[in-house]
Amino acid sequence: RLTDGVPLQQAGGTPWPNRRRAPPGVPVADPEALRLRPGTGTLLWSTEGDVARGFGPALYESTRDGRLLREFALPAMFRPDPSGRRGPRDNEGFEGLATTPDGRFAWLAMEGALVQDGPLPTVDGAGGPCRFTQVDLAGGRAVRQIAYMPDAVPLRPAVPGTYADNGVSEVLMIDVHRMLVLERAWALGRGNSLRLYEIDTRAGSDTLALDTLRPGNHRPAPKRMLADFARLGLARLDNTEALCWGPPLPDGRRRLLAVSDDNFNPTQITQFAVFAFTDPPSP
């Protein structure tokens, strides 16, 4: 059961307004990821913003009692474009956030491609690449970026032509360079699909200076599947959107926690699943 709650504050010390009730022009947040910085005791958190209202994805740092410390300056590519011909899509922003074990960097993972980088995944194709951006926490700026190719939607909806999607829902560092990437898909009448991948962030070319990602002008980070959640013995799969490491197991393996978001929907669940993680050998 929940025992306490701390409201995140915006600049000026007031709580962030309800997105559905905020007047036009008032900044809003749609938080998706949260990480504790052990060295500072502060919280990093990302938001998808509200692109339709003109507020793009962002990265913030707050104290543990909710007081806002700073907003990070991010590349202009993440600003909403009123024309809709470029920039982030609504609800496809910074879904994943990971920090490196040395505490120096954070990685921000887009759920879907920027408009100019390609379409979203469908049951017939993978769509455009998602941008993963590395932020230097001391300097407060983006220093590198790689492209990640999500899968096509793995499940066809029960009724052909109805809604289905797939995207990156969370990232987590294995070590300084290697990253876990969780892809979460949903198809009407079929439910969720969850697949866990590993990438090496050094293996993708730097895309930070590229306005548009096209075939041939960049090298996406290669990925390999580590687990299909449908085969891990869970009673059901839901909208899993969070990963973190827990205390090591008695046998020395790492404890991996995965948490689902119920979307305030009574037909969904908030599920905490704990796995024993064995670091895969190099390919």
Side-chain angles (χ1 to χ4, degrees):
R1 62 187 180 89
L2 295 176
T3 59
D4 198 5
V6 175
L8 292 172
Q9 301 169 17
Q10 57 185 335
T14 57
W16 287 87
N18 185 302
R19 288 181 63 216
R20 294 178 177 85
R21 301 173 188 166
V26 173
V28 295
D30 181 14
E32 290 290 354
L34 181 77
R35 296 290 178 196
L36 175 68
R37 293 185 66 188
T40 63
T42 55
L43 299 170
L44 296 172
W45 58 279
S46 66
T47 170
E48 292 191 296
D50 194 329
V51 173
R53 293 161 53 97
F55 303 105
L59 174 65
Y60 297 99
E61 185 170 10
S62 298
T63 61
R64 294 180 72 167
D65 62 3
R67 179 170 52 88
L68 182 65
L69 295 175
R70 60 172 167 166
E71 177 181 357
F72 290 80
L74 297 174
M77 67 180 70
F78 297 121
R79 297 174 190 160
D81 179 9
S83 72
R85 292 192 291 267
R86 60 183 305 99
R89 293 174 164 92
D90 203 33
N91 206 36
E92 295 288 339
F94 294 149
E95 189 79 16
L97 171 63
T99 53
T100 54
D102 58 13
R104 294 178 57 198
F105 301 101
W107 281 94
L108 287 163
M110 293 287 286
E111 182 176 359
L114 296 177
V115 174
Q116 68 268 28
D117 291 339
L120 297 177
T122 68
V123 293
D124 298 314
C130 301
R131 297 192 189 227
F132 291 4
T133 305
Q134 186 184 38
V135 177
D136 175 18
L137 295 176
R141 62 186 183 90
V143 293
R144 190 165 179 266
Q145 187 182 82
I146 59 174
Y148 175 88
M149 291 298 299
D151 295 342
V153 180
L155 299 173
R156 290 186 176 271
V159 178
T162 54
Y163 188 80
D165 67 2
N166 181 51
V168 174
S169 68
E170 183 61 295
V171 291
L172 181 67
M173 300 307 297
I174 302 173
D175 54 33
V176 174
H177 301 293
R178 292 181 302 143
M179 177 189 291
L180 295 177
V181 181
L182 181 63
E183 293 191 33
R184 181 251 358 253
W186 185 82
L188 185 65
R190 299 290 304 280
N192 286 99
S193 173
L194 303 165
R195 295 159 321 287
L196 189 66
Y197 290 92
E198 178 201 14
I199 66 170
D200 190 318
T201 59
R202 297 168 294 184
S205 61
D206 191 349
T207 61
L208 192 58
L210 296 179
D211 178 75
T212 302
L213 300 184
R214 301 185 181 92
N217 75 348
H218 69 287
R219 183 179 69 257
K223 65 183 188 180
R224 61 168 172 164
M225 183 186 287
L226 299 184
D228 181 342
F229 275 45
R231 302 177 181 178
L232 296 182
L234 295 173
R236 62 180 286 184
L237 300 184
D238 213 294
N239 180 37
T240 298
E241 293 191 324
L243 297 172
C244 71
W245 298 116
L249 292 164
D251 62 7
R253 288 181 295 174
R254 300 179 85 170
R255 194 186 314 244
L256 178 65
L257 287 80
V259 187
S260 68
D261 170 10
D262 67 4
N263 289 317
F264 303 104
N265 185 338
T267 67
Q268 294 183 257
I269 59 171
T270 297
Q271 178 191 69
F272 289 77
V274 185
F275 304 100
F277 180 85
T278 302
D279 197 0
S282 300

